[in-house]
Amino acid sequence: MSTPQLLMIEDDARLAQMVGEYLTQSGFGFHHALDGASGLEMLQQRSPDLVILDLMLPDTDGLEVCRRIRAMPSNALAKVSVLMLTAKGDPMDRIIGLEIGADDYLPKPFEPRELLARIRAVLRRRGEGGSDAAPAAVMRFGTLEIDRNARTVTVGGMAADLTSYQFDLLVAMAERAGRVLTRDQIMEAVRGRELEAFDRSIDVHMGRIRAAIEVDAKNPKRILTVRGVGYVFAKQQD
């Protein structure tokens, strides 16, 4: 198995050096860029598996860098996993980051062990972390097709744009079609990170999934909200 490659875009050189040494010792390839422009250039040169992206950069902000990553014409680059770092306490920063395509976030200051755990979790969800291969099966729900092996989603033959975490959320929901799931049950199903009780990340991701697979995201027919409980993936549609 090839060594997973990480790119950290962070203007704090001392922090990046500390993180780099720790992650290299943990079996990762590590590269560092001091600002958004050089980070985007390095991204295209090295095609890393995951980007550790600081929210506050000297030339631009991490949100804009994340937008540019997701808009890249190369499918492989556009699908790279993004873990966002933020020193801000406002939950809206996290929500916006998730809305524009970040796979996870970690507030500063952080413990290197927690960063490592989150990186491994994101890569595991993506299929790069050494877990068993996903079943070679395609789930079909009317015009919606979910290929667990290729990790792709199409609606009416058109590719749906989802992050790796959103893909796993959709699979978890589809595998339990017809069952009402709480947010905790959904998070447990994808073995994701623990979240604070006030965190709205599941709701944010569900909104993004709806935007990708529903005809009308404001009037969803496939992923339905059950007030006071959670969500349900509707079996019969189309």
Side-chain angles (χ1 to χ4, degrees):
M1 182 184 299
S2 60
T3 301
Q5 299 296 309
L6 309 177
L7 169 62
M8 186 173 195
I9 306 177
E10 164 65 64
D11 63 331
D12 186 335
R14 293 182 62 186
L15 173 63
Q17 181 179 1
M18 178 195 71
V19 169
E21 291 175 354
Y22 183 80
L23 294 177
T24 300
Q25 293 172 2
S26 300
F28 292 93
F30 183 85
H31 307 282
H32 172 230
L34 284 167
D35 55 47
S38 58
L40 289 169
E41 182 178 354
M42 193 175 295
L43 175 69
Q44 297 184 68
Q45 293 173 349
R46 299 187 179 276
S47 299
D49 298 295
L50 182 142
V51 175
I52 306 167
L53 178 60
D54 188 25
L55 185 64
M56 304 297 291
L57 295 169
D59 57 341
T60 184
D61 63 81
L63 297 176
E64 178 60 25
V65 174
C66 188
R67 289 190 188 96
R68 293 182 187 180
I69 292 173
R70 293 303 179 222
M72 284 182 171
S74 169
N75 187 60
L77 290 178
K79 292 297 185 182
V80 66
S81 298
V82 176
L83 192 158
M84 188 167 287
L85 302 177
T86 173
K88 294 184 177 180
D90 188 351
M92 282 304 299
D93 290 323
R94 302 175 231 168
I95 292 170
I96 293 171
L98 294 168
E99 284 180 337
I100 64 175
D103 295 277
D104 200 354
Y105 69 84
L106 181 61
K108 290 181 177 179
F110 56 84
E111 289 290 335
R113 286 182 297 177
E114 182 178 5
L115 175 62
L116 175 62
R118 288 176 185 258
I119 289 171
R120 285 175 171 167
V122 171
L123 293 179
R124 182 171 61 246
R125 293 193 296 263
R126 182 185 172 199
E128 298 290 340
S131 58
D132 293 336
V138 176
M139 293 184 286
R140 295 183 175 88
F141 303 88
T143 60
L144 173 66
E145 292 192 0
I146 306 170
D147 189 328
R148 285 179 288 194
N149 196 40
R151 295 183 66 80
T152 58
V153 177
T154 59
V155 181
M158 301 294 292
D161 185 18
L162 298 174
T163 67
S164 60
Y165 189 44
Q166 289 158 9
F167 175 85
D168 287 333
L169 286 173
L170 179 59
V171 169
M173 296 288 293
E175 289 177 338
R176 298 161 179 79
R179 288 175 51 189
V180 177
L181 301 173
T182 66
R183 290 167 179 81
D184 288 342
Q185 287 173 325
I186 295 170
M187 287 188 287
E188 176 64 24
V190 297
R191 297 187 298 276
R193 56 187 169 79
E194 295 182 0
L195 303 178
E196 297 91 340
F198 63 84
D199 194 283
R200 290 175 47 207
S201 69
I202 289 295
D203 300 319
V204 171
H205 282 302
M206 288 300 173
R208 295 285 293 180
I209 294 170
R210 283 170 170 164
I213 70 171
E214 300 275 8
V215 174
D216 181 1
K218 294 183 179 180
N219 184 32
K221 303 296 183 182
R222 179 65 64 194
I223 296 180
L224 309 178
T225 299
V226 181
R227 290 189 178 278
V229 182
Y231 295 93
V232 60
F233 186 98
K235 286 184 177 181
Q236 302 298 328
Q237 287 296 333
D238 303 316

